[in-house]
Amino acid sequence: APWLPWVLLAFSVLLGASPVVDLLGIFVGHIYYYLEDVAPRMPGRFRGKRLIFTPAIIRYLFEGAPDQGVRVQFVPGRGVG
């Protein structure tokens, strides 16, 4: 699996496509890996801290609305209260 991006880059070049997009993807992948896995494990300033956060709109789309601790009760004869 670690060689897959390089193999895809080679196929793109063999087919005549520009390697810029593939190289940019490899570069961004390395930056993401460093910020997500390497930097939080290093001693010092960022130890144990997450440096990349999922945007709230993406979390909302996939997880739903956050639980606000609001309880809804059904009271017989009065409806929802």
Side-chain angles (χ1 to χ4, degrees):
W3 293 102
L4 182 63
W6 300 103
V7 171
L8 293 175
L9 171 67
F11 279 130
S12 294
V13 171
L14 287 174
L15 293 173
S18 173
V20 173
V21 175
D22 290 326
L23 288 171
L24 182 63
I26 291 170
F27 175 73
V28 170
H30 278 84
I31 296 297
Y32 174 81
Y33 173 74
Y34 178 80
L35 292 175
E36 188 68 19
D37 291 333
V38 176
R41 294 180 185 181
M42 292 174 61
R45 182 176 182 176
F46 299 115
R47 183 160 183 86
K49 294 182 183 176
R50 294 200 53 188
L51 302 174
I52 300 176
F53 298 98
T54 305
I57 186 70
I58 302 296
R59 282 197 320 262
Y60 177 77
L61 289 173
F62 286 95
E63 297 175 1
D67 183 23
Q68 299 291 329
V70 177
R71 295 178 61 192
V72 177
Q73 289 181 309
F74 180 75
V75 179
R78 291 182 34 195
V80 176

